[in-house]
Amino acid sequence: MRTTRRPLAVLVLVSIAVCQGLQHNDIHVHGEDVDARVDERSQYGALWPLPQKVRVSGVSFKLTSTSFRVVDAKESSAGSGCSLLQNAYRRYYEYIFGSFARKPGHSKRKDAGPFELAELQVWITSPDCECDSYPSVTSDESYELSVNQPYAVLKAPKVWGALHGLETFSQLVYEDEYGAKTINSTSISDFPRFAHRGVLLDSSRHFLPTKVILANLEAMAMNKFNVFHWHIVDDQSFPYLSRTFPQLSQQGAYHPYTHVYTPADVKMVIEFARLRGIRVIPEFDTPGHTQSWGKGQKDLLTPCYSGSSLSGTFGPVNPIVNTTYTFMSQFFKEISTVFPDAYVHLGGDEVDFNCWNSNPDIRKFMDQQGFGRDYGKLESFYIQRILDIVTSTKKGYTVWQEVFDNGVKLKPDTVIHVWKGNQQQYQAEMANVTSAGYQTLLSTPWYLNRISYGQDWRGIYKADPQDFKGTDEQKKLVIGGEACLWGEYVDATNLTPRLWPRASAVAERLWSAKEVTDITDAYSRLSMHRCRMVDRRIPAEPLFSSYCPREYKGI
């Protein structure tokens, strides 16, 4: 499930010309800042996340919109029929030259001059380029990039690595002092440190328009994230429009027509993500966090009691009636066909036992099962049934750490998602999960909905999912992590600037080598990367007092 990682070997030869070429991306800092100074520009320019191996020389070439083009190499297994790559070529051409640039194909192509770079040739080396496939946890995302005259070459075994290589190539392009697009002779060999690099967005507490989700998928690709964890439903609303159970969103969404994700919307998100090498993993969290489910599915939730009388309120999913499991079987069968990824997130966190404890039928069932008053055992009983149902749909599953903590019997390939506690506690949890032989993801230090005044990205950047006491074999079971943005105080108006560039700090931690920890160097590169996102119409918030050559123009 995890590709082999090599140690970092970054070799850089940067001339004065490179630094001068980056001066228009400089971040001029006013006021006091303990970590960043204007003269501490990174030798790696604006690369983010930092590749595993980089070699840059002082020799530079120009790129012009009328002569430069991105093409398939003659030897490539992916030709003009690979729409994923053809779309990416157009996208990155516009990133480099702007959407109004004259493309070579739309006019007579001018020959490149003696100091110009004529082409970027993309060479997919494997017989199966996976152009029409979906990315997975085992996808090969490696690539090699060589920039020299008369052309640059991007080699990758699969299209997923080529997508990352195109992003890196675009990050190497800068404007010289006259505004001419310039790139230095460069050699890069790159691959991700972790296979799972995710962002969680919550579309239940506040509905997120599809357009906002797509914009953030675009930003994810710019940061080499490869998993969109879609926390699509929760207590507050059920915006997923189910073909099998349409009454779930009809009754459970904030509005049955304007605040739902139709099958066409979901399909659009999945395909938009695929074209950028991003997996879409939906989360349908049960038995807690399900108040919105109960509005459209009769008898799904547990009736709560006040003394000997019904209180009129409902608790978690009712785990003792067969109708619950009949419904869940049909529902997850649909989910397995709608979402192509091999995994689904099943939640399992924060189950309130008070309602179960108040219900006489539940207590009677507990006695029959010999559970006593240990409601953790009842939760485990329910979760086990759900896991069996999802397994029957041929899906793997991820669960929040409580499921592991409560001793539920899990398949060996279950992924445990760690989110609770302080640093000492989450590191102990990572050690416990991996010592039991399970793969794990970390999110605890990357709850980006928690905000504070100042440069909180630095703490985000310093956290490492493998920093816990354990063997090398345990460390290999850490497949990555996720930045989470929960939606209590976030909607379309503030989601993107709250997420970026703070999530970029997580992106580098999960992609680059473990040894990449220089916070001053990171500040320089991230400041320029943030300006690049702004230039690409992503309203990423500033790290500190600064300016961008091309500021965000608003909506």
Side-chain angles (χ1 to χ4, degrees):
M1 303 284 284
R2 182 179 177 278
T3 56
T4 303
R5 310 290 176 211
R6 301 193 295 268
L8 175 71
V10 180
L11 303 172
V12 184
L13 301 174
V14 185
S15 72
I16 296 174
V18 179
C19 293
Q20 289 177 337
L22 291 172
Q23 68 183 8
H24 288 288
N25 285 334
D26 196 6
I27 305 300
H28 291 261
V29 180
H30 304 281
E32 185 178 353
D33 180 26
V34 292
D35 285 332
R37 294 288 182 269
V38 71
D39 57 347
E40 292 177 341
R41 185 188 293 113
S42 172
Q43 60 181 331
Y44 307 116
L47 288 173
W48 194 278
L50 189 66
Q52 302 287 339
K53 297 181 182 179
V54 185
R55 186 182 183 92
V56 182
S57 86
V59 178
S60 64
F61 315 113
K62 303 304 178 187
L63 295 85
T64 64
S65 63
T66 53
S67 64
F68 178 79
R69 62 179 183 170
V70 185
V71 299
D72 298 304
K74 292 179 180 178
E75 307 91 337
S76 179
S77 61
S80 59
C82 179
S83 60
L84 180 148
L85 283 181
Q86 299 304 316
N87 286 336
Y89 297 166
R90 287 189 290 270
R91 188 163 67 248
Y92 280 99
Y93 181 92
E94 291 188 358
Y95 281 162
I96 293 170
F97 296 108
S99 56
F100 298 107
R102 291 175 59 197
K103 299 176 178 60
H106 294 176
S107 59
K108 186 176 180 181
R109 186 178 175 228
K110 193 180 80 172
D111 291 335
F115 301 106
E116 288 185 20
L117 189 69
E119 290 181 343
L120 171 60
Q121 297 184 1
V122 180
W123 180 1
I124 307 301
T125 59
S126 289
D128 179 10
C129 65
E130 298 186 2
C131 183
D132 298 318
S133 302
Y134 289 94
S136 73
V137 72
T138 57
S139 290
D140 189 334
E141 299 178 275
S142 65
Y143 67 93
E144 294 180 355
L145 177 61
S146 174
V147 179
N148 216 324
Q149 276 197 317
Y151 48 78
V153 177
L154 169 58
K155 290 174 64 175
K158 306 290 184 181
V159 294
W160 319 118
L163 291 172
H164 296 316
L166 287 165
E167 175 61 37
T168 298
F169 180 86
S170 74
Q171 293 185 5
L172 289 169
V173 177
Y174 61 91
E175 293 182 357
D176 68 11
E177 59 266 39
Y178 303 107
K181 300 293 183 181
T182 309
I183 191 168
N184 284 70
S185 176
T186 306
S187 176
I188 289 176
S189 178
D190 202 12
F191 53 88
R193 179 182 170 201
F194 293 105
H196 185 121
R197 307 178 306 281
V199 171
L200 177 151
L201 296 182
D202 171 8
S203 61
S204 171
R205 290 172 176 87
H206 284 97
F207 180 79
L208 301 177
T210 304
K211 181 180 178 181
V212 173
I213 293 175
L214 299 184
N216 280 278
L217 287 170
E218 198 80 83
M220 286 172 63
M222 296 174 195
N223 290 271
K224 296 187 173 69
F225 278 110
N226 68 348
V227 176
F228 170 36
H229 175 169
W230 195 352
H231 189 86
I232 192 167
V233 301
D234 208 296
D235 280 328
Q236 290 77 8
S237 73
F238 197 105
Y240 172 75
L241 201 165
S242 166
R243 291 184 186 272
T244 313
F245 300 101
Q247 73 276 12
L248 288 170
S249 60
Q250 190 73 26
Q251 302 296 323
Y254 285 133
H255 190 283
Y257 305 120
T258 60
H259 286 58
V260 295
Y261 301 107
T262 66
D265 292 331
V266 173
K267 189 174 182 179
M268 182 195 304
V269 168
I270 292 170
E271 180 61 10
F272 192 93
R274 186 189 78 84
L275 292 174
R276 288 153 182 79
I278 298 171
R279 303 161 58 198
V280 178
I281 299 180
E283 180 182 353
F284 292 93
D285 190 357
T286 67
H289 293 276
T290 49
Q291 289 297 300
S292 66
W293 301 51
K295 295 176 182 178
Q297 185 62 25
K298 190 174 182 291
D299 299 328
L300 178 65
L301 303 185
T302 304
C304 305
Y305 279 72
S306 177
S308 59
S309 304
L310 286 166
S311 67
T313 61
F314 295 89
V317 168
N318 191 335
I320 70 170
V321 292
N322 289 329
T323 53
T324 289
Y325 302 105
T326 302
F327 163 77
M328 291 294 181
S329 293
Q330 293 176 270
F331 181 76
F332 280 107
K333 182 178 180 180
E334 174 188 323
I335 296 307
S336 71
T337 61
V338 171
F339 292 91
D341 198 81
Y343 279 80
V344 60
H345 202 301
L346 298 177
D349 63 317
E350 296 183 317
V351 181
D352 185 352
F353 296 150
N354 290 324
C355 182
W356 281 352
N357 186 46
S358 76
N359 187 297
D361 295 327
I362 297 280
R363 293 198 302 270
K364 181 180 178 181
F365 179 84
M366 297 273 288
D367 292 337
Q368 291 170 347
Q369 295 292 323
F371 293 163
R373 289 294 175 264
D374 185 350
Y375 289 95
K377 291 182 178 177
L378 181 60
E379 179 188 7
S380 297
F381 171 86
Y382 168 81
I383 292 287
Q384 187 60 61
R385 293 285 298 271
I386 297 300
L387 299 185
D388 290 343
I389 287 169
V390 173
T391 299
S392 72
T393 68
K394 309 297 188 215
K395 293 285 189 185
Y397 45 76
T398 303
V399 292
W400 295 111
Q401 69 181 73
E402 288 96 322
V403 178
F404 167 81
D405 295 341
N406 292 339
V408 177
K409 183 180 179 182
L410 300 168
K411 288 193 306 178
D413 63 346
T414 301
V415 178
I416 310 300
H417 198 163
V418 175
W419 71 278
K420 297 176 72 174
N422 57 31
Q423 182 177 3
Q424 183 180 6
Q425 289 168 329
Y426 77 68
Q427 288 177 345
E429 182 76 6
M430 297 288 282
N432 290 337
V433 170
T434 54
S435 67
Y438 292 109
Q439 293 181 318
T440 185
L441 298 170
L442 179 65
S443 280
T444 311
W446 299 325
Y447 265 40
L448 303 188
N449 47 289
R450 297 172 180 156
I451 57 175
S452 60
Y453 191 77
Q455 297 193 53
D456 64 346
W457 72 272
R458 291 181 291 198
I460 294 166
Y461 186 77
K462 290 174 182 176
D464 192 294
Q466 288 183 329
D467 281 352
F468 61 88
K469 293 180 181 178
T471 64
D472 289 343
E473 290 304 309
Q474 284 179 257
K475 302 295 177 73
K476 290 177 183 178
L477 290 170
V478 181
I479 61 171
E482 291 183 359
C484 299
L485 192 66
W486 296 98
E488 288 90 348
Y489 305 99
V490 173
D491 68 2
T493 65
N494 63 344
L495 182 146
T496 305
R498 184 162 295 186
L499 185 59
W500 307 104
R502 295 161 75 233
S504 302
V506 182
E508 177 151 295
R509 182 56 53 235
L510 295 175
W511 178 280
S512 303
K514 184 177 177 66
E515 296 81 7
V516 178
T517 56
D518 187 328
I519 203 77
T520 303
D521 182 80
Y523 177 89
S524 173
R525 289 183 294 108
L526 185 54
S527 295
M528 289 187 279
H529 179 56
R530 176 255 167 180
C531 283
R532 179 167 48 231
M533 286 193 284
V534 167
D535 188 37
R536 295 178 181 182
R537 297 188 291 277
I538 301 296
E541 69 180 17
L543 299 179
F544 192 63
S545 302
S546 62
Y547 79 91
C548 292
R550 285 178 284 273
E551 297 287 3
Y552 185 64
K553 298 295 194 295
I555 299 171

